[in-house]
Amino acid sequence: MKLPMLPHDKANHFIYGLIIFGIFKIIFTPLIGIVVCTIFAISKEIYDYFHRDRHTPDFYDALITIIGGVIGLLILIDIS
């Protein structure tokens, strides 16, 4: 069985979500990490919406970024 490939753009969003969560989790708390990751994800897509001449807003980009943060949280919970 072949696993589906994640498009390069979506993989980047996942990694960025994981990194944003990790940084803010270290500095503050896991809850702050998830909140900041979510704010970054949504803010980036709002920015893209208002700058459509150079960017393409995509709901799934925000969702994948947030999922990256959630996976980071789940890994943290599993390790604890």
Side-chain angles (χ1 to χ4, degrees), residues 44-52 55-61:
K44 197 259 185 212
E45 296 312 314
I46 290 171
Y47 176 85
D48 288 351
Y49 178 80
F50 287 107
H51 296 90
R52 284 187 251 171
H55 300 278
T56 305
D58 186 354
F59 167 79
Y60 292 110
D61 285 351

Side-chain angles (χ1 to χ4, degrees), residues 32-73:
I32 297 296
I34 287 293
V35 169
V36 171
C37 179
T38 302
I39 290 169
F40 266 85
I42 293 169
S43 297
K44 197 259 185 212
E45 296 312 314
I46 290 171
Y47 176 85
D48 288 351
Y49 178 80
F50 287 107
H51 296 90
R52 284 187 251 171
D53 56 324
R54 292 172 287 160
H55 300 278
T56 305
D58 186 354
F59 167 79
Y60 292 110
D61 285 351
L63 182 61
I64 295 295
T65 305
I66 294 166
I67 288 172
V70 170
I71 295 296
L73 178 64

Side-chain angles (χ1 to χ4, degrees), residues 10-32:
K10 301 300 185 256
N12 284 341
H13 279 275
F14 179 85
I15 292 167
Y16 296 147
L18 194 58
I19 291 170
I20 291 167
F21 167 77
I23 289 170
F24 282 88
K25 182 259 321 172
I26 290 169
I27 297 171
F28 300 104
T29 66
L31 177 61
I32 297 296

